[in-house]
Each structure stands twice: as structure tokens, then as C-alpha cells.
Amino acid sequence: MSYQADFKVWRGDTDGGDLADYTVEVNEGEVLLDVIHRLQATQAPDLAVRWNCKAGKCGSCSAEVNGKPSLLCMTRMNTFVPEETVTVTPLRTFPVVRDLVTDVSFNYKKALQIPAFAPPKDLAPGEYRMAQVDVERSQEFRKCIECFLCQTVCHVVRDHDDNKTAFAGPRFLIRAAELDMHPLDARTDRAEFARDEQGIGMCNITKCCTEVCPEHIKITDNAIIPMKERVVDRKYDPLVWLGSKIGLRKS
Amino acid sequence: MATENGVDTAGRASITEPTLRTDRWWIAPLVTFLGLSAFVLYGLIRTATQTNYFVEGAGFSYLSPFASPCVTDSCLPGSSHFGTWFGKFPAMVPLAIVTLPFLLGFRLTCYYYRKAYYRAFWLSPPACAVPEPHGTYTGETRFPLIMQNAHRYFFFMAVIISLVNTYDAVKAFHGTEGFGFGLGNVVLVGNVLLLWSYTLGCHSCRHITAGRINHFSRHPVRYWLYQRASWLNGRHMQLAWTTLGTLVFTDAYIALVSSGTINDLRFIG
């Protein structure tokens, strides 16, 4: 079944822009990225849109669909009624480059700040041995495709641009959790780093990051809250501090 | 609601509407607001009025969780399962003053409730991708919200209070003439089981069992406990709401039996 659907697509650049109206053909089984490509091919050849795999694995086609951060390639058109006008805008947390393309370099800067995996000194490459049960928590976070939907929906930076210096965002807090929970990571200061450098205390766990994650990573429950609890161990819990001082508890 | 520091920040796509969401995103925070407000109102009225919180019969003795443990001279005869530690309380002072602050603290610092009331009461944010009305934001980095980090201590207290509630539920099978079994027992036991499920599914409990360690394989017992806590934790939101409902239902049932409005359905005794 094919039908003509109405779309509002944000067109513009750093100097300004607006929502432009289009009517585009939609065919059965298509996703929104298919329609955007048809729009590009038939009516707006200069429409800028970032995409790559069309399979929800590269994280390139992040945008906001009817106000919700989504992957264009994973938004099925049959989730809309034919009469509905679908609005597509760029991510509203990052500076726009043009049309649906934004400058997400904020995320790359935050990624660079995280200390890399530190292997144990007494093991050479090839000697690492880990039980599956010990690494599976970290493996959940390795599913991240870096689409930055969690980063764009997080109100800490979305609604407060001035927090971008102090707050790393959900994607990099799961990276912190991934490394801190890793059975072979030798660093012992990742909880302190999460608090002091990544601003984990700014997260008020309202779970929007989890809601938009296309990989269904339990960002809040499995990464951020466990990291917050580890921060409590190191910084706020007097009994844990006392236990570590008198040798009852290993760090 | 958008601010110049938010989605209107220079350099971001210039869009007039603060949010372009077309679904009814406001329903969830509204329902949360009404639900939590209703519970707080009910709790305030019941703990302040201090009537019909205990009823005893031949085969039962039901004590409301809102008045447990009852440890003052103001308590009705038979309701002080743990003795009386204080003299008479002035009017409006809750009979369960020794536990209520901790239960309130446990729920207030609970990671699920934080999400719920930050969204519904503080609108921070009211819903995903809907701008919050506040000009500045520091999260949980400063007083008083930095005190949310004390959640694990409230968890420890909640475990003790759950033990008290369990004792009450067991004692409820015994009345003035011995053992009995009625609908009130089902209500009390059901409430206690759900309270345990909520308490042991807490994120701090999950951390304490084994969440804080990196080598589950070296701690199989702790890992087993962690898996059980994680299973409950996956239902934490549902249990948070269900237990509010069962607390109210248990208290209301006891109040209705105590006031003579309804009779307890007896199966034995």
C-alpha cells in the first residue's frame, strides 16, 4: 500500500532556519529514512542528512521525530497513521551544521577525557582470562552504537548548555561503568573520576536516556545508578571509609 | 518553558516550539503527581487522626502498618507488640514516629521515586525532550539533594522495619482466644510480602549484595543474591506503586473492621 504523507522537515543552518512542508510518497514496509531519501531524490536534492548503515547499527541518522530523539532508520512508517504530519528536526542539544546534520563533536571531546582501559601489570597481552559472568555487565554497555540519542535527550545538557563543561552525559557514564566493572581493569579511581570529572552527581536519574536507547541498554539501572553507588562507597559512606581504613574492606 | 540556555541556545537549530512532541506526554507526570499526592494526603490524615488502627478479636489482632510499631502509652491495649518506650504522645504526633521518618526517607531517596517526583513535582524534566522551567541546574551535587546518597542507610532501616511488619503479620494470626485465619491475614501477609519485594529490589540492596564487586565468579553466593535482587529491581517501579496501594488497602481494611463498618471474613477461628 502506498500513500502520500505530509512532513515538516527542518531546513536551515547556523544562520537560522524553519520547518518546511513536504508531501512525500510512503510505501509499505518503509522506514523514515527511506522517505527522507525519497524526499532528497525527488524534491530537495540539497537536503543534508547523515546516514550510513540503514540497520540501526552505525548511529549516524539520529534526529528528532515528532519531538522525540530517534534513529531515522529505525522509525517504521507504520507507527504513524497516514493522516499524521510527521515532523523531523535535527538533534536539539548540539549545534546545527545544516538541515538534519548537527555537530556532535562535544561527545568526542568527552570520550577523549576518559582514561583508557588499564590492563594488569602482571599480565601480558594474550594472557588475559575472564569468566563470562564477570564481563557480561560490561558487555551490555559495549552494545552502544554512539548514536548520542541519550546525550541529546538528557536534560542536564539539553536544557542547560552551560553544564556541558561539567557533565559528560549518559553515554560516557556507561563507558565509565563499563571500565570500572571490568574484571581486569587496573585503575582504582574511576568512581572518583565519574564524580569529579564527569559530573555524575548532576544526573537525577530521570531515565530519558534509557527510554531513547535504540540498543535497549539499561543505562540508568545498570550503569549510572551502580556508578552512583560506587561513588557513595568512595566519597559519602562513612562506614565504607572506616572499613577500608581498618582493613575490613578492600578498595 | 525553554530558556536561552536550553534548546534556544545560539547555534542550535532555531525552532520556535519548546517541544515538538505530539503525544500526550503530560499524562504520566500528571498521574504520578496525583498518585503520590493522594498517598501523602491519606497518610497524613491517617497518622494524624490515629483512630481505628488496631482491632483484636477471638482469632486475630490486626495492627495497621501506619501505626507500627506502636510504642507509646497512647497506643490501644494489645497494639504495642514491642512494649511502650514513650509516655503519651500529644495529638497529631504519629504513633509510629520511630519508624515513619525512615520509611519516608527510604521512599524519598529511592532511585525510582526520585525519577517520579523530579518529573512530576519539580518538572526536571516533566517528560523526555520537554524543556524544564528552571534556569539553572546542579542536580544532586549540592545540599539538600546530595543527601540522596544516604539511600543505603535508609535501606538498612527499611529492612529492620520490614522485620517489624513481618512480626505484626504473624502476630495477626493470634487473637484473644488463640489462632485464627481470616481475610485480614491475607491482606497483611500480602502487604508484607510485597514490602519485602520492594525493599530487597532496591538499587542499594543490589549494590550491597554483589554490585560493588567485579568478580562475580569468586563470590557465587553473593552473585546468586545479586541475581535475585536484580530480578526484583527490574520490577522496582511496579512494586513501588503496588506497595503504596497495599499499604493504603491494608490500613483501610483494618480501619473498616476496627470501626465495625465491615466484618472480617473468617476462614478459621
Side-chain angles (χ1 to χ4, degrees):
Chain A
M1 187 192 85
S2 296
Y3 64 94
Q4 297 291 314
D6 293 326
F7 294 86
K8 285 182 180 294
V9 181
W10 195 86
R11 304 297 309 273
D13 53 27
T14 49
D15 296 328
D18 210 346
L19 292 168
D21 294 312
Y22 297 99
T23 301
V24 189
E25 180 184 311
V26 176
N27 298 312
E28 190 170 353
E30 287 185 334
V31 295
L32 185 51
L33 185 59
D34 295 322
V35 180
I36 292 293
H37 281 162
R38 183 169 299 118
L39 171 64
Q40 213 177 27
T42 58
Q43 303 175 50
D46 60 340
L47 174 67
V49 57
R50 190 181 276 137
W51 67 283
N52 193 358
C53 75
K54 280 187 74 179
K57 289 297 169 195
C58 74
S60 301
C61 62
S62 302
E64 300 198 9
V65 181
N66 284 347
K68 287 185 190 172
S70 316
L71 292 180
L72 295 176
C73 71
M74 297 302 284
T75 305
R76 302 185 70 87
M77 288 307 299
N78 64 6
T79 58
F80 307 107
V81 293
E83 300 76 28
E84 186 175 355
T85 299
V86 179
T87 306
V88 188
T89 68
L91 302 177
R92 296 182 71 181
T93 300
F94 306 118
V96 69
V97 176
R98 198 172 139 223
D99 300 337
L100 300 179
V101 177
T102 48
D103 173 7
V104 293
S105 56
F106 159 78
N107 301 291
Y108 305 137
K109 288 173 191 155
K110 291 296 177 185
L112 281 172
Q113 292 168 2
I114 301 176
F117 172 75
K121 283 182 181 164
D122 54 342
L123 291 180
E127 294 177 344
Y128 300 170
R129 297 292 181 271
M130 294 168 277
Q132 174 59 33
V133 72
D134 292 339
V135 287
E136 60 194 8
R137 272 192 303 182
S138 292
Q139 283 177 337
E140 178 189 6
F141 312 136
R142 297 289 292 184
K143 292 193 300 180
C144 176
I145 59 172
E146 297 210 316
C147 60
F148 304 130
L149 292 183
C150 58
Q151 299 287 90
T152 198
V153 82
C154 179
H155 73 113
V156 179
V157 287
R158 184 182 178 92
D159 295 340
H160 306 280
D161 202 69
D162 52 332
N163 284 337
K164 281 183 175 171
T165 308
F167 187 62
R171 191 279 167 266
F172 301 105
L173 293 176
I174 68 169
R175 175 69 175 151
E178 175 196 330
L179 291 166
D180 199 44
M181 293 173 183
H182 196 289
L184 290 184
D185 184 62
R187 286 192 78 103
T188 57
D189 60 349
R190 295 201 185 273
E192 287 84 346
F193 185 83
R195 189 191 82 139
D196 301 333
E197 306 299 329
Q198 295 185 291
I200 196 170
M202 301 192 86
C203 169
N204 67 345
I205 44 149
T206 43
K207 287 198 174 182
C208 288
C209 48
T210 304
E211 283 186 25
V212 300
C213 179
E215 284 293 317
H216 308 293
I217 301 169
K218 298 269 187 294
I219 298 173
T220 324
D221 285 323
N222 288 351
I224 297 180
I225 293 173
M227 278 308 286
K228 275 181 171 261
E229 287 291 318
R230 287 174 180 226
V231 169
V232 175
D233 279 348
R234 299 294 180 84
K235 291 290 182 180
Y236 300 112
D237 189 333
L239 288 182
V240 173
W241 175 83
L242 187 64
S244 64
K245 288 294 172 196
I246 61 177
L248 289 177
R249 196 159 190 174
K250 294 174 187 171
S251 61
Chain B
M1 289 203 289
T3 68
E4 291 181 3
N5 194 22
V7 287
D8 291 345
T9 301
R12 300 192 195 180
S14 59
I15 298 169
T16 317
E17 294 84 351
T19 180
L20 290 164
R21 283 187 65 167
T22 52
D23 57 331
R24 286 179 281 184
W25 55 264
W26 45 269
I27 288 181
L30 179 64
V31 169
T32 303
F33 179 85
L34 294 175
L36 293 179
S37 299
F39 178 80
V40 170
L41 189 64
Y42 180 88
L44 279 175
I45 292 170
R46 287 291 294 148
T47 52
T49 52
Q50 303 173 352
T51 55
N52 300 320
Y53 58 86
F54 178 70
V55 59
E56 196 170 28
F60 65 93
S61 61
Y62 300 151
L63 175 63
S64 164
F66 280 82
S68 174
C70 211
V71 288
T72 89
D73 285 339
S74 306
C75 298
L76 290 170
S79 65
S80 299
H81 297 163
F82 299 91
T84 51
W85 308 348
F86 307 107
K88 277 193 174 299
F89 274 1
M92 309 287 281
V93 176
L95 296 169
I97 190 75
V98 293
T99 54
L100 284 181
F102 298 107
L103 284 177
L104 189 64
F106 183 51
R107 300 250 171 184
L108 271 177
T109 59
C110 161
Y111 285 99
Y112 166 69
Y113 283 111
R114 276 146 75 175
K115 171 203 166 187
Y117 64 74
Y118 283 140
R119 283 198 188 192
F121 287 80
W122 194 240
L123 307 177
S124 181
C128 302
V130 176
E132 60 175 287
H134 312 290
T136 57
Y137 175 88
T138 54
E140 297 177 340
T141 59
R142 295 181 186 178
F143 186 82
L145 294 182
I146 201 168
M147 297 307 292
Q148 305 279 29
N149 291 308
H151 184 53
R152 61 182 59 175
Y153 286 96
F154 288 111
F155 162 71
F156 295 136
M157 291 306 297
V159 169
I160 294 169
I161 295 165
S162 294
L163 288 170
V164 170
N165 290 331
T166 306
Y167 180 80
D168 292 340
V170 171
K171 199 160 172 61
F173 285 97
H174 297 272
T176 53
E177 295 176 17
F179 176 80
F181 178 41
L183 183 59
N185 297 112
V186 175
V187 172
L188 276 162
V189 170
N191 178 54
V192 162
L193 287 175
L194 287 163
L195 285 176
W196 273 115
S197 301
Y198 168 70
T199 305
L200 297 178
C202 151
H203 290 84
S204 286
C205 176
R206 199 176 173 220
H207 176 75
I208 292 161
T209 51
R212 63 177 295 273
I213 59 180
N214 286 350
H215 293 273
F216 290 150
S217 55
R218 294 178 193 165
H219 305 271
V221 176
R222 289 183 70 176
Y223 180 55
W224 185 87
L225 292 170
Y226 172 82
Q227 286 179 302
R228 303 286 89 73
S230 296
W231 187 85
L232 290 171
N233 183 260
R235 292 145 185 84
H236 206 44
M237 178 186 79
Q238 291 86 343
L239 287 165
W241 281 104
T242 308
T243 49
L244 288 189
T246 57
L247 279 167
V248 168
F249 184 76
T250 306
D251 179 72
Y253 183 84
I254 291 168
L256 291 170
V257 173
S258 173
S259 63
T261 311
I262 61 170
N263 290 318
D264 183 37
L265 180 63
R266 305 301 303 166
F267 308 126
I268 301 173

